[in-house]
């Protein structure tokens, strides 16, 4: 440490919000260069490389072959898949000296597809699993939390290519298991959540989320069953249909000034027998929706009045279509839409597409708009008085909602996305007509999966899950060193002995950080705690009595070890 | 190889000019993605990583500490050193979503200086040697020869920081020796040439050039002494001064129509006694020169008439000033300049700065312009009839010129720059006022060196120096595999035996590429020769007689090895 390029800081950096960011800067692992741009100092780079090594081993173990693409990429392939445009402001674009357009790659689906198409031509060449560990770029609107969400970052992205769906499934499961092994070796607490495939047209997609209160992703899970899903991907637990026979006919009521659900519920509780809650009302929300390349069309969504539309769930459900709220001109053009009093009747009479929340099952009776100013209808029964065009997962998800597997209740939590596995299917192979000759002599369109791990982000995630108020605490698999030997005794013999001990440990294959500085023991201990190497060997006062101390940075436990044979005993303690 | 992501090509790619480019593409090591942009396929990436590993080991061995900066960098630091502008079209520039300027780093002097300034504050922290192995960007005007001159490439750049010149010299020599070890381990044939420091104000700079007929850099060397220098850096061998006493007085002659050296020599051979050559004439070339931030000023350069001005040498000699030829307006403004007949007399009478070639030593007599249309002066003696303001290294260098060390003659050769070491001095530390507290309590400005190795380029350089007409031939230190086992016998027992042998070799630590494809032996041998693994093990017809064949890809030698104990014998042959 007398030579290591390292200065620890006593104070938290002014603009750091989250613990990992504060500690990684204070402990001299990374330094900010610009918004979302960080340099890796020696200790940080060691952690990053160890994580890369683990990722590489597990990718190789499932037959992944490592290749490496440029980060600077021409526009054309991304134009072909429309990602040049779709990525919007998130893409760093630039021009070369001839004025040709380039981008800094966010992910490389296009290039992998084109390369495989270029090299291979027969079904015999598959399955194929390729990956790279590479620097990627995204012009984040709000780079935050240090290396947790940077604009330049290291990612492992892999891509599988198969001639049939069975092959894609195998590749997907192989990656799923590889990711479980990777995150297991990194001692990360994580959940696997169902994710929405969105526009990509894939049939399955899951995210690996590290559990963390500072996570940007909200997910829900059922502690009883282990079910977990992204908010976008939660499937509503559907109640059983009710018998329609014997239900009273619907009655239209005068309900002046009840354009809000709250006012309607108040009215109902005064005017009708029994207690009414917002969940008894059916709120009809009007949107306009446009498929890619299509025209705007009206869409009505009916959800129980106690729920709100969740923008993320709505967006995911409608993707790839875009949507917008109606403006005054839209209402003027469609006079059958009576704001505050819209009901299924007018919608269906006027051919408006009508999707309802999955809870609106046949036989449920609702208080809803009667399509006239100041009027609602009571006892409108789904499946008898109206039939929706389908259901939509757009209502918000709440703690206490039943799990779709019926095993218990959902609770929400926050996580940080650390991995994503995705059955892409043929989106990209269609874009580039990536066919090979099939076993029957006819062309087969390849099917594809993409799989990502946020490698540099993992440094922050591990720091976020492993720290206390005094510093970092690295799991042994990624710690920059295996043990930190602190010389805390000014005696020359102790110093020489410590250096010898460090040398012996090194020869035993233990990576040692040796604090041979002239600083005080107090300063050295503080730094050792901040840096977070999991084992600290103190060569201190006990030296004259023939003992050194071994401290565990996680448990705080200490034990004395005889100087004679100390190296072997310490090495054994570390691996035990 | 039945699973390796590899397709070899029988034909040279259409646009490949140099052998390394053709072979690296044909052998499936790299693929073009765009001009100057390449992807690394599995075999190429293995070679690249092995070179990186050797570079890393040797940098660590001289106390280098590895860190890693972003490639995407903010404009401000490069603005401070003017490199944002100086780099011209070679710099990739871009803006982020907020319209802020960024660049893709070509080298990182600014960031290293700022980082060291930010972390360290005392002379006690030095010497310091930092490096990174990183992806760099240069928007080359003519990307060429594949990965030899790409626009995205991997470079090892290191920077030394010291408080005194002695420290800088030590760092420089440590790097020089580390580079010798690196290139030695890579089996590269190279020369170290003196290089011009140019604008950087450093006191010493050398380039490592790999000898290659396709190199873009011309250098000269003296085979007798080992002297070698960049053309820009060649020092002219200065002849001894001649006695002035007794030399005849200069005589002005009418020399009509002798505005060219050839015409003047013709005239002299008719009009004067003895033989005259162009080397007896003194040609005065007029330029205008402007120091950074200064005004244009006239500069005259006198060189023997048998030489031409070399633009590269002139530019290097004048740097950081820029220069231009005179136009008609300049001649009109300076009527004392008589085109074709300019002599030292008018130059010096009119206060024009006058620099001469180092061969124009005192006592040499010249035929030169007499500053009047159609007149020259004969016998104008340097040191008597004119005294220049100094000398300049601007004349061209030719094969057969004497070496400056007097040991022999210079010959020119071509090379590829693979390394550059540079005593930068205080250019960058001045720009950022990078001071630390000195031993005497006063601030000391740091002094700096920068040192680069073109890591990805080395893959091509090694291929360029190690190939024959049928393929690549990798030195063992960088070969993607240690040995290539070819199954050239369809017998099931031979196949099983080959797979077992490969497994045994693998357990002995020998990295094996196993050709287990169903292709014909001929196809497999061709591929093995093309891929260039230095040792090829053929499990062929001899299998039934209990022998396999070991081929050396460099020498072509083959020997038979008994199947019993083959693995150990092959492993021994490889390391022997």
């Amino acid at each position: 440490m007398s030579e290591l390029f390292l200065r620890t800081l006593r104070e938290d950096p002014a603009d750091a919000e989250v613990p990992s960011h504060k500690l990684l800067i204070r402990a001299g692992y990374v330094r900010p260069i610009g918004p979302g741009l960080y340099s890796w100092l020696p200790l940080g780079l060691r952690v990053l490389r160890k994580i890369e090594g683990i990722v590489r081993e597990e990718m190789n173990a499932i037959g992944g072959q490592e290749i490496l693409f440029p980060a600077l990429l021409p526009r054309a392939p991304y134009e072909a898949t429309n990602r040049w445009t779709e990525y919007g402001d998130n893409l760093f674009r630039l021009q070369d000296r001839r004025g040709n357009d380039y981008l800094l790659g966010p992910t490389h689906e296009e290039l992998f597809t084109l390369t495989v198409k270029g090299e291979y031509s027969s079904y015999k060449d598959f399955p194929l699993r390729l990956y790279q560990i590479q620097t990627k770029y995204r012009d984040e609107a709000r780079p935050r939390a240090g290396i947790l969400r940077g604009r330049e970052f290291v990612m492992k992205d892999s891509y599988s290519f198969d001639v049939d769906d069975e092959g894609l499934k195998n590749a997907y499961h192989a990656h799923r298991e590889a990711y479980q092994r990777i995150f297991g070796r990194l001692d990360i607490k994580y959940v696997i959540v169902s994710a929405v495939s969105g526009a990509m047209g894939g049939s399955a997609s899951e995210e690996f989320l590290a559990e963390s209160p500072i996570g940007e992703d909200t997910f829900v899970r059922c502690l009883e069953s282990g079910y977990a899903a992204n908010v976008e991907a939660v499937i509503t637990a559907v109640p059983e249909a009710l018998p329609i026979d014997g239900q009273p006919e619907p009655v239209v009521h005068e309900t002046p000034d009840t354009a809000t659900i709250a006012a309607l519920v108040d009215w109902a509780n005064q005017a009708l027998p029994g207690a009414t809650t917002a969940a008894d009302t059916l709120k009809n929300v009007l949107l306009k929706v446009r498929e890619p390349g299509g025209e705007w069309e009206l869409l009505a969504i009916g959800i129980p009045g106690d729920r709100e539309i969740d923008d993320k769930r709505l967006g995911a459900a409608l993707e790839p279509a875009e949507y917008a709220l109606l403006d005054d001109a839209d209402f003027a053009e469609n006079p059958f839409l009576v704001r505050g009093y819209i009901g299924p009747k007018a919608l269906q009479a006027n051919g408006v597409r009508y999707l309802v929340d999955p809870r609106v099952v046949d036989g449920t009776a609702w208080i809803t708009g009667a399509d006239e100013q100041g009027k609602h209808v009571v006892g409108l029964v789904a499946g008898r008085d109206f039939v929706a065009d389908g259901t939509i997962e757009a209502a918000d998800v709440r703690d206490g909602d039943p799990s779709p597997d019926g095993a218990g209740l959902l609770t929400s939590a926050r996580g940080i996305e650390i991995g994503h596995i995705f059955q892409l299917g043929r989106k990209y192979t269609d874009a580039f007509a990536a066919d090979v000759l099939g076993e029957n002599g006819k062309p087969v369109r390849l099917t594809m999966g993409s799989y990502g791990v946020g490698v540099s982000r993992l440094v922050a995630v591990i720091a976020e899950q492993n720290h206390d108020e005094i510093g970092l605490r690295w799991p042994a698999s990624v710690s920059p060193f295996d043990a930190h030997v602190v010389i805390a005794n000014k005696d020359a013999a102790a110093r020489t002995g410590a250096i010898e001990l460090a040398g012996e440990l090194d020869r035993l294959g233990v990576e040692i950080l040796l604090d041979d500085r002239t600083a005080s023991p107090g300063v050295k201990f503080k730094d050792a705690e901040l840096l977070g190497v999991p084992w600290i060997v103190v060569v201190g006062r006990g030296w004259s009595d023939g003992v050194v101390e071994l401290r565990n940075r996680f448990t705080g436990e200490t034990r004395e070890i005889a100087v004679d044979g100390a190296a072997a005993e310490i090495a054994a303690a570390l691996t035990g």
Side-chain angles (χ1 to χ4, degrees), chain A:
Chain A
M1 283 184 70
S2 62
E3 293 178 4
L4 183 65
F5 186 56
L6 173 71
R7 277 295 170 276
T8 57
L9 310 176
R10 290 286 156 250
E11 304 294 327
D12 284 337
D15 58 343
E17 310 138 32
V18 304
S20 63
H21 188 192
K22 291 176 190 168
L23 289 170
L24 287 169
I25 288 186
R26 279 188 49 206
Y29 281 67
V30 299
R31 287 288 179 261
I33 295 297
L37 299 171
Y38 288 83
S39 60
W40 297 87
L41 298 192
L43 296 181
L45 188 59
R46 288 180 74 99
V47 176
L48 180 66
R49 294 283 188 242
K50 290 197 177 187
I51 296 173
E52 284 181 11
I54 290 171
V55 171
R56 183 171 284 122
E57 280 176 22
E58 296 297 345
M59 292 313 300
N60 292 345
I62 60 164
Q65 299 189 52
E66 187 173 3
I67 65 178
L68 184 62
F69 278 94
L72 180 65
L73 298 171
R75 169 178 175 162
Y78 287 78
E79 188 74 46
T81 59
N82 202 33
R83 292 214 298 169
W84 174 264
T85 305
E86 263 175 19
Y87 251 97
D89 282 346
N90 285 314
L91 197 64
F92 280 110
R93 297 176 184 84
L94 68 159
Q95 292 193 326
D96 72 358
R97 59 160 74 212
R98 293 169 199 275
N100 294 318
D101 284 323
Y102 286 82
L103 59 100
L104 300 181
T107 61
H108 282 59
E109 280 81 357
E110 286 83 353
L111 279 299
F112 276 78
T113 307
L114 283 169
T115 297
V116 171
K117 179 182 172 168
E119 304 297 313
Y120 277 176
S121 55
S122 159
Y123 73 95
K124 292 178 193 160
D125 298 323
F126 298 88
L128 177 65
R129 297 165 190 177
L130 298 174
Y131 75 99
Q132 59 178 351
I133 296 178
Q134 203 235 15
T135 303
K136 300 231 178 304
Y137 296 86
R138 255 176 235 168
D139 195 0
E140 296 282 352
R142 281 171 296 280
R144 70 180 278 273
I147 52 172
L148 214 44
R149 184 177 285 280
R151 300 199 291 172
E152 173 173 330
F153 53 96
V154 179
M155 191 170 152
K156 187 285 299 175
D157 48 331
S158 44
Y159 306 88
S160 65
F161 294 86
D162 287 278
V163 289
D164 55 29
D165 294 348
E166 191 61 25
L168 171 55
K169 269 182 201 150
N170 290 342
Y172 183 88
H173 287 292
H175 276 88
R176 194 177 198 273
E177 286 170 13
Y179 282 19
Q180 288 176 300
R181 283 190 295 269
I182 290 167
F183 300 133
R185 289 175 66 180
L186 299 177
D187 275 358
I188 291 176
K189 289 176 282 298
Y190 68 95
V191 289
I192 304 176
V193 303
S194 301
V196 161
S197 320
M200 307 263 202
S203 51
S205 169
E206 287 168 295
E207 286 176 8
F208 291 72
L209 298 182
E211 299 178 39
S212 169
I214 63 142
E216 287 193 319
D217 290 289
T218 304
F219 66 98
V220 296
R221 61 179 153 187
C222 170
L223 294 173
E224 287 79 4
S225 67
Y227 169 83
N230 248 348
V231 165
E232 292 94 313
V234 174
I235 298 159
T236 302
V238 180
E240 285 204 28
L242 302 176
I244 287 173
D245 286 356
Q247 295 223 38
E249 286 299 307
V251 181
V252 173
H253 292 260
E254 295 278 348
T255 59
D257 297 329
T258 56
T260 67
I261 294 293
L264 179 62
V265 171
D266 282 352
W267 169 84
N269 277 319
Q270 289 177 6
L272 304 178
T276 295
T277 72
D280 299 317
T281 69
L282 181 65
K283 174 162 69 177
N284 294 301
V285 179
L286 264 290
L287 304 171
K288 49 186 176 181
V289 172
R290 181 166 65 177
E291 297 289 334
E295 299 289 316
W296 286 108
E297 289 183 8
L298 289 181
L299 172 69
I301 296 177
I303 62 170
D306 64 330
R307 300 265 163 186
E308 299 299 329
I309 295 278
D310 180 312
D311 287 345
K312 274 189 169 179
R313 282 169 60 75
L314 175 61
L318 294 178
E319 220 183 328
E322 54 177 331
Y323 70 92
L325 296 177
L326 299 198
D327 55 26
D328 288 345
D330 295 314
F331 280 103
E333 265 181 44
N334 297 285
F336 61 91
L337 298 173
V338 183
R339 272 194 260 196
Y341 301 92
I342 298 171
K345 200 168 177 182
L347 296 172
Q348 304 207 281
N350 289 279
V352 176
R353 189 158 161 250
Y354 185 43
L355 301 176
V356 295
D357 186 78
R359 294 172 191 83
V360 185
V361 293
D362 281 0
T364 50
W366 301 93
I367 303 174
T368 189
D371 302 306
E372 285 183 65
Q373 191 67 36
K375 290 191 181 173
H376 277 91
V377 57
V378 173
L380 199 75
V381 173
R384 180 190 71 186
D385 304 322
F386 68 97
V387 177
D389 297 311
T391 60
I392 185 168
E393 292 284 3
D396 54 3
V397 178
R398 297 179 184 168
D399 278 31
D401 280 351
S403 174
D405 56 17
L409 302 182
L410 295 177
T411 54
S412 64
R414 301 183 77 76
I416 303 167
E417 186 185 335
I418 51 175
H420 193 174
I421 53 179
F422 204 150
Q423 294 187 24
L424 274 177
R426 298 182 175 83
K427 175 181 159 82
Y428 290 92
T429 53
D430 279 347
F432 298 110
D435 294 337
V436 295
L437 214 59
E439 201 166 355
N440 59 5
K442 288 182 187 160
V444 185
R445 179 93 359 131
L446 293 171
T447 181
M448 191 176 166
S450 84
Y451 318 90
V453 170
V455 175
S456 50
R457 164 178 286 187
L458 283 172
V459 177
V461 167
I462 296 168
E464 201 62 51
Q465 288 192 346
N466 296 280
H467 69 269
D468 57 15
E469 60 288 351
I470 55 174
L472 297 161
R473 301 196 287 199
W474 295 107
S477 58
V478 300
S479 175
F481 294 93
D482 296 326
H484 186 150
V485 175
V486 177
I487 306 179
N489 183 328
K490 295 208 166 174
D491 186 64
R495 186 180 176 84
T496 308
I499 293 171
E500 272 170 23
L501 175 58
E504 277 178 68
L505 284 163
D506 182 66
R507 281 186 292 280
L508 291 173
V510 181
E511 292 177 352
I512 293 295
L513 178 64
L514 174 66
D515 194 346
D516 58 346
R517 297 175 299 170
T518 53
S520 75
V523 165
K524 291 181 176 186
F525 292 145
K526 269 204 155 58
D527 274 345
E529 285 153 350
L530 179 59
L531 296 187
V533 174
W535 294 93
I536 302 169
V537 179
V538 181
V539 177
R541 276 182 232 148
W543 180 263
S544 50
D545 304 326
V547 292
V548 298
E549 190 186 271
L550 180 64
R551 296 185 184 177
N552 182 306
R553 177 69 184 86
F554 278 86
T555 63
E557 281 175 274
T558 66
R559 57 191 256 211
E560 292 200 332
I561 288 183
V563 170
D564 267 2
E569 196 175 340
I570 291 167
L574 263 58
T575 52

